Amino acid sequence: MDSTGYITLTEAGRQRAEDVLERHTILADLLMHIGVSKETALADACKVEHDLSEESFEAIKQVLRSLKFSSDNS
């Protein structure tokens, strides 16, 4: 952070931020898909996105892909 408060990320930092954003978006989308209100889904995604294991996150992504694929072919 510079003296004006501007933050510059390293490449590794930028990648980590993108990974967390992807997790947040996917988790919030899943929660809203199963009926959770947008406000609650966004808040809960914030709580989960940093601590969820990579294995669980990948499994969630696979389920969402299959749901999307299924609904696209209906």
Side-chain angles (χ1 to χ4, degrees):
M1 182 183 328
D2 68 15
S3 62
T4 65
Y6 184 78
I7 297 173
T8 303
L9 296 175
T10 63
E11 181 58 31
R14 184 190 63 74
Q15 185 59 55
R16 179 67 181 133
E18 287 179 4
D19 291 346
V20 172
L21 178 60
E22 178 190 31
R23 283 172 169 250
H24 178 83
T25 302
I26 288 173
L27 292 167
D29 286 350
L30 172 64
L31 293 169
M32 287 185 283
H33 180 79
I34 62 173
V36 176
S37 70
K38 182 177 181 178
E39 181 179 301
T40 300
L42 293 173
D44 287 348
C46 283
K47 296 172 189 172
V48 175
E49 65 199 21
H50 297 280
D51 292 326
L52 187 67
S53 72
E54 188 63 28
E55 178 183 359
S56 293
F57 182 63
E58 289 301 319
I60 288 168
K61 286 191 334 186
Q62 289 297 324
V63 167
L64 287 178
R65 284 186 194 121
S66 68
L67 289 173
K68 182 173 173 77
F69 182 76
S70 296
S71 66
D72 288 347
N73 289 326
S74 301

